[in-house]
Amino acid sequence: MSDSGPLLVIVDAANVVGSVPDGWWRDRRGAAERLRDRLAADGVPGLDSPVEVVLVVEGAARGVDSVPGVRVESAPGNGDDHMVALVAGAAGDRAVLVVTADRELRRRVTELGARVTGPRTVRPA
């Protein structure tokens, strides 16, 4: 992937939220909103260059609004498929970093040239 444009950071909301057993399952939408707000306030730790953050939500978290600094995309179906489509759409145009611990998703996006990091990158345990 080339370096034209800011790094595209795609965050697997369900995977990141689910990485800490803090009761997120009682309010999936609220948990996604808290993650969105933390990303908007703190960005992606360790990345000093400009980034574009896309938070992909699915299921009960669909409909979470975007805020300045974080674009929220509601997956029309499977969130993993939507993230793969986002990576494929950026292929060759810009660098992409996907935040997830999902092994199959990691495999799929790295085959398209994305880098991958785990949930702790954006959500300390």
Side-chain angles (χ1 to χ4, degrees):
M1 300 213 167
S2 76
D3 289 330
S4 63
L7 172 67
L8 176 61
V9 179
I10 301 170
V11 180
D12 181 351
N15 190 267
V16 172
V17 165
S19 69
V20 177
D22 61 1
W24 59 265
W25 51 90
R26 291 187 293 268
D27 181 11
R28 294 169 192 258
R29 183 183 177 107
E33 288 171 340
R34 287 187 297 279
L35 174 58
R36 175 205 60 198
D37 294 346
R38 187 170 42 257
L39 288 167
D42 300 338
V44 180
L47 297 179
D48 296 328
S49 59
V51 298
E52 177 186 355
V53 178
V54 177
L55 181 66
V56 175
V57 297
E58 61 186 335
R62 283 189 186 103
V64 169
D65 292 326
S66 296
V67 297
V70 179
R71 184 175 89 226
V72 179
E73 292 213 6
S74 294
N78 180 291
D80 291 2
D81 292 343
H82 190 69
M83 286 179 273
V84 169
L86 289 172
V87 172
D93 292 334
R94 62 200 292 196
V96 180
L97 175 66
V98 177
V99 181
T100 188
D102 182 297
R103 288 183 187 170
E104 178 61 14
L105 178 58
R106 291 171 77 98
R107 182 193 64 75
R108 292 173 68 191
V109 297
T110 56
E111 286 178 353
L112 295 171
R115 293 179 311 167
V116 180
T117 190
R120 287 188 182 172
T121 302
V122 296
R123 181 174 183 163

